[in-house]
């Protein structure tokens, strides 16, 4: 299936992707970054999946989330009747569970269930047995118990069953994971868990105060961000998947099941301005724990609990989504130097205080140490925002965000009463600003460029007016926006930067789709420079790219009309929220 054919369910510690054909093709337990027990998404049926659908039918007639929840309803209308499958993951108690409830709507419908459990990303075929009325699968550290309303017959390396559902009838399946060394977990009541899950999401959404025409899209994006939050720590993963390609059949396949510091300030703003101060505080606490230590050891990303070692490796037994190889787990970019992250982090703490969040006892000490380190390193080349795997460069966006770091520290002293070397940081701010305007601006074309001395553009330059580096009315800002519209747009959507055989900036072969967050940046920048009508048109086009349940990926292929990249993408939904707030 296409990436957009999937929907997300989760329990704020892990997540699953459910296809329009009723198949769960991706599930990692017990955490977002744990090895998958269903990995068909990156392979085939032999790598694990769980399909529950009418016999002989493929795609569902329709599907939707129940109101403002993460409970998914999928409906099939057949020649003999109509059936609905309700999929959800209850709020985590002792063990993670996934519940599937089949409800007869009208007539009678013959149903087929087929489940193939594969631990360790499809590599381990577990030993299965029947025990106490449940099917038990075990392999190494993983153990799964399946409660089903019928006998599941073992056939090869999978279990299958068939039953008929009539109008008014309900049949429930419960899939529960637990560590294999622990005793058998207690069963749960599917009906009670459905009600509890509904209450959980309804209560959470009730705290959102946002009005306006875009409220539905914003609320769905907020729910997605909540679903991608690892609730024990407050960290937010970039996506629940790994290795969904940025180019079909290509090598641009990365693991996004980790927490990027870059998302910090943007997430903080989005949550706080939408009424979620508690979640924003949890994210800030996670950030403080993650960055604690020597400033030179700051990483661009961490594990959901703040882990620093995220070694990258390939899973050679998986063929990849539509042949997109290699399949990667871990992320080697964790060790890169990306100077913009320091600006993101310092802006995060400044914004937190400006939005009324109470100060942390040691936060100012930490950010001052980060600032001290940045004072001596901002002049260095780095890998930049896009985590290029080519040579380091003096990326303009990196320098702009170093300016943001100095500017926010100056403002923290002037506006919030903090103490620090104000004169020195002002001088640093002014020096960076002058250098960027001198070395990062192409006077002949009237635009900023991707790096010092280059002619290439970069969509991250759209952030210059958004972060306040230059006022929107500055001709250098409008010139940069015009240049990006001319040179970096494909079918009205924005590419990150030009990719061609002559431009090896990222060190990788192949192309990629339009980066959706960049397109939201353009809409916000257009609004800032007084082109609100153009901004609204672009924003509406972006909203039209959401799939049938309101989810967005990292990238979009305007030629084939397909979602690309890991899915759903927190960064994309984050900027949907920001742009909607700016346009309201």
């Amino acid at each position: 299936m296409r990436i957009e054919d999937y929907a997300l369910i989760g329990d704020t510690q892990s997540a699953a992707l459910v296809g329009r054909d009723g198949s769960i093709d991706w599930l990692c337990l017990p955490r977002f970054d744990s090895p998958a027990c269903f990995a068909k998404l990156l392979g085939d049926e032999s790598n694990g999946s769980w399909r529950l659908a009418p016999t002989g039918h493929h795609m569902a007639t329709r599907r939707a989330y129940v109101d403002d929840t993460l409970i998914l309803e999928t409906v099939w209308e057949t020649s003999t009747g109509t059936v609905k499958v309700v999929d959800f993951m209850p709020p985590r108690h002792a063990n993670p569970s996934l519940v599937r409830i089949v409800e007869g709507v009208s007539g009678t419908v013959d149903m087929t269930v087929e489940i193939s459990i594969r631990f360790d990303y499809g590599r381990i075929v577990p030993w299965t047995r029947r025990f106490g009325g449940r099917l038990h699968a075990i392999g190494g550290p993983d153990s799964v118990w399946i409660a089903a309303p019928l006998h599941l017959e073992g056939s090869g390396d999978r279990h299958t069953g068939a039953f008929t559902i009539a109008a008014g009838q309900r049949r429930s399946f419960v899939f529960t994971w637990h560590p294999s060394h622990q005793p058998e977990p207690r069963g749960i009541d599917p009906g009670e868990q459905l009600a509890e899950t509904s209450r959980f999401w309804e209560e959470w959404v009730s705290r959102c105060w946002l009005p306006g025409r875009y409220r539905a899209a914003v609320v769905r994006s907020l729910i997605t961000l909540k679903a991608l939050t690892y609730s024990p720590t407050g960290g937010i993963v970039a996506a629940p998947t790994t290795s969904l390609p940025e180019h079909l059949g290509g090598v641009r396949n990365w693991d996004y099941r980790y927490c990027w510091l870059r998302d910090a300030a943007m997430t903080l703003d989005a949550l706080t301005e939408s009424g979620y101060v508690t979640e924003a505080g949890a994210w800030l606490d996670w950030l403080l724990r993650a960055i604690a230590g020597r400033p030179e050891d700051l990483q661009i990303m961490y594990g959901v609990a703040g882990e620093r070692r995220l070694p990258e490796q390939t899973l050679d037994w998986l063929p990849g989504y539509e042949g997109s190889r290699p399949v990667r787990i871990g992320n080697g970019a964790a060790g890169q130097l990306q100077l913009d992250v320091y600006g993101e982090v310092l802006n995060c703490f400044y914004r937190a205080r400006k939005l009324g969040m109470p100060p942390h006892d040691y936060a100012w000490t930490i950010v001052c140490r980060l600032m001290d380190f940045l004072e001596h390193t901002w002049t260095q080349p780095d890998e930049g925002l896009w985590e290029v795997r080519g040579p380091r460069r003096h990326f303009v966006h990196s320098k702009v965000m170093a300016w943001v770091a100095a500017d926010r520290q100056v403002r923290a002293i002037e506006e919030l009463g903090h103490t620090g070397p104000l004169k020195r940081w002002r001088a640093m701010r002014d020096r960076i600003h002058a250098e960027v305007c001198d070395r990062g601006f192409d006077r002949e074309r009237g635009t900023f460029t991707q790096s010092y001395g280059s002619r290439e553009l970069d969509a991250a330059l759209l952030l210059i007016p958004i972060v306040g580096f230059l006022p929107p009315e500055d001709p250098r800002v409008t010139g940069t926006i015009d240049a990006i519209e001319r040179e970096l747009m494909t079918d009205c959507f924005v590419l990150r930067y030009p990719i061609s055989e002559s431009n090896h900036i990222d060190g990788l072969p192949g192309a990629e789709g339009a980066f959706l967050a960049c397109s939201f940046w353009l809409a916000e920048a257009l609004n800032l420079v007084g082109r609100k009508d153009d901004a609204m048109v672009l924003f509406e086009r972006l909203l039209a790219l959401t799939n049938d349940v309101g989810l967005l990926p990292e990238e979009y292929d305007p030629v084939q009309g397909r979602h690309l990249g890991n899915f759903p993408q927190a960064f994309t939904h984050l900027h949907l929220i920001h742009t909607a707030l700016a346009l309201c």
Side-chain angles (χ1 to χ4, degrees):
M1 290 182 295
R2 293 188 173 204
I3 292 171
E4 54 265 40
D5 288 327
Y6 288 99
L8 177 77
I9 59 174
D11 63 359
T12 72
Q13 294 192 43
S14 59
L17 293 188
V18 186
R20 288 176 61 96
D21 63 347
S23 181
I24 297 176
D25 292 345
W26 183 256
L27 174 62
C28 298
L29 292 171
R31 303 191 339 175
F32 292 108
D33 55 353
S34 297
C37 55
F38 296 143
K40 179 185 174 183
L41 181 69
L42 301 177
D44 54 32
E45 288 81 358
S46 67
N47 302 121
S49 64
W50 180 9
R51 187 160 191 259
L52 180 58
T55 305
H57 288 74
H58 188 50
M59 292 294 196
T61 307
R62 61 184 180 275
R63 62 180 180 170
Y65 288 113
V66 178
D67 300 324
D68 291 332
T69 73
L70 207 63
I71 300 169
L72 180 70
E73 290 186 344
T74 306
V75 176
W76 284 264
E77 295 176 352
T78 76
S79 60
T80 61
T82 301
V83 65
K84 175 171 63 178
V85 175
V86 181
D87 290 315
F88 64 98
M89 294 179 70
R92 185 77 62 93
H93 295 295
N95 300 287
S97 293
L98 191 155
V99 180
R100 314 195 75 179
I101 301 175
V102 184
E103 296 182 0
V105 178
S106 66
T108 61
V109 180
D110 294 332
M111 300 290 293
T112 298
V113 56
E114 182 176 308
I115 186 165
S116 174
I117 303 169
R118 297 290 182 273
F119 297 129
D120 194 21
Y121 303 101
R123 189 175 65 90
I124 295 177
V125 179
W127 175 67
T128 59
R129 61 169 181 161
R130 289 182 180 83
F131 186 84
R134 294 195 284 181
L135 185 67
H136 180 214
I138 186 170
D142 298 294
S143 178
V144 164
W145 296 81
I146 302 170
L150 72 158
H151 177 79
L152 295 175
E153 184 67 35
S155 175
D157 295 329
R158 62 181 179 172
H159 286 76
T160 61
F163 62 99
T164 300
I165 192 84
Q169 291 183 334
R170 175 182 281 195
R171 300 286 184 268
S172 301
F173 297 78
V174 179
F175 178 102
T176 301
W177 179 95
H178 78 124
S180 60
H181 65 275
Q182 292 183 358
E184 176 184 0
R186 295 177 59 185
I188 62 174
D189 183 285
E192 291 179 358
Q193 293 302 308
L194 177 61
E196 180 181 348
T197 304
S198 181
R199 287 193 300 270
F200 171 85
W201 287 107
E202 289 172 355
E203 187 281 328
W204 190 81
V205 171
S206 70
R207 292 189 277 132
C208 176
W209 61 269
L210 288 174
R213 61 187 293 189
Y214 300 125
R215 188 181 189 280
V218 169
V219 167
R220 180 50 55 189
S221 292
L222 286 167
I223 290 172
T224 302
L225 290 180
K226 176 66 172 176
L228 298 181
T229 301
Y230 185 66
S231 55
T233 65
I236 299 176
V237 297
T241 59
T242 179
S243 299
L244 288 180
E246 298 169 8
H247 174 66
L248 293 175
V251 301
R252 298 170 182 267
N253 319 313
W254 315 107
D255 193 347
Y256 277 11
R257 299 170 300 157
Y258 306 111
C259 305
W260 268 253
L261 295 188
R262 186 172 290 111
D263 298 354
M266 304 169 192
T267 302
L268 185 80
D269 280 352
L271 292 174
T272 305
E273 294 186 14
S274 303
Y276 295 102
V277 177
T278 301
E279 282 76 8
W283 173 236
L284 196 64
D285 289 341
W286 177 90
L287 180 61
L288 275 170
R289 293 192 301 270
I291 67 176
R294 299 188 307 170
E296 60 266 32
D297 295 331
L298 184 75
Q299 296 185 183
I300 65 165
M301 73 180 82
Y302 296 84
V304 294
E307 297 90 349
R308 298 188 176 219
R309 295 186 61 227
L310 309 173
E312 186 173 296
Q313 56 184 302
T314 60
L315 307 183
D316 296 333
W317 62 87
L318 287 174
Y321 181 85
E322 294 197 16
S324 304
R325 302 181 69 179
V327 171
R328 295 180 173 93
I329 60 172
N331 200 310
Q336 287 187 350
L337 175 65
Q338 297 179 22
L339 294 172
D340 69 291
V341 170
Y342 292 86
E344 301 286 5
V345 170
L346 270 59
N347 183 54
C348 175
F349 285 102
Y350 168 76
R351 290 289 296 161
R353 292 297 314 281
K354 290 292 286 185
L355 291 169
M357 297 184 68
H360 288 72
D361 292 339
Y362 57 93
W364 181 248
T365 301
I366 289 180
V367 298
C368 286
R369 291 184 64 191
L370 293 176
M371 185 64 185
D372 289 342
F373 176 76
L374 185 61
E375 283 187 85
H376 298 93
T377 56
W378 74 266
T379 57
Q380 297 181 17
D382 70 340
E383 277 89 2
L385 167 71
W386 305 124
E387 301 173 3
V388 300
R389 303 208 173 191
R392 288 182 175 180
R393 299 192 182 190
H394 290 283
F395 288 103
V396 170
H397 175 261
S398 296
K399 309 301 185 186
V400 167
M401 293 310 297
W403 175 90
V404 168
D407 178 72
R408 300 321 188 248
Q409 289 296 91
V410 168
R411 291 190 186 189
I413 294 172
E414 294 176 338
E415 301 169 12
L416 301 174
H418 287 294
T419 59
L422 181 60
K423 184 177 179 180
R424 196 173 80 222
W425 288 344
R426 279 178 178 163
M428 174 185 170
R429 181 180 64 177
D430 294 344
R431 180 186 170 193
I432 297 173
H433 198 280
E435 180 179 293
V436 170
C437 292
D438 178 43
R439 300 182 62 190
F441 187 74
D442 185 334
R443 292 170 179 78
E444 178 183 340
R445 295 156 64 210
T447 179
F448 285 97
T449 59
Q450 184 178 57
S451 60
Y452 290 172
S454 72
R455 290 186 59 83
E456 290 83 12
L457 296 178
D458 191 318
L461 300 170
L462 293 167
L463 294 171
I464 286 175
I466 295 173
V467 300
F469 183 82
L470 285 173
E473 63 273 13
D474 191 294
R476 291 167 293 185
V477 169
T478 55
T480 299
I481 293 174
D482 291 343
I484 287 174
E485 287 184 290
R486 287 194 310 269
E487 301 180 31
L488 277 189
M489 295 195 74
T490 173
D491 192 30
C492 299
F493 303 112
V494 182
L495 300 171
R496 292 190 294 177
Y497 44 81
I499 296 176
S500 65
E501 292 183 2
S502 61
N503 179 29
H504 300 290
I505 182 64
D506 59 15
L508 296 167
E512 66 176 21
F515 200 83
L516 295 183
C518 298
S519 299
F520 283 114
W521 292 344
L522 177 58
E524 192 169 351
L526 290 172
N527 183 59
L528 282 174
V529 300
R531 295 170 56 186
K532 185 167 185 176
D533 289 345
D534 293 336
M536 296 285 285
V537 169
L538 176 55
F539 187 64
E540 296 283 355
R541 289 179 66 95
L542 288 165
L543 290 185
L545 299 183
T546 59
N547 70 356
D548 56 321
V549 291
L551 301 180
L552 285 168
E554 179 184 24
E555 298 186 2
Y556 177 72
D557 183 346
V559 176
Q560 299 189 50
R562 295 189 58 174
H563 286 190
L564 293 174
N566 285 302
F567 174 86
Q569 182 78 5
F571 204 55
T572 307
H573 282 279
L574 192 57
H575 288 291
L576 184 157
I577 296 169
H578 275 285
T579 308
L581 291 173
L583 294 177
C584 287

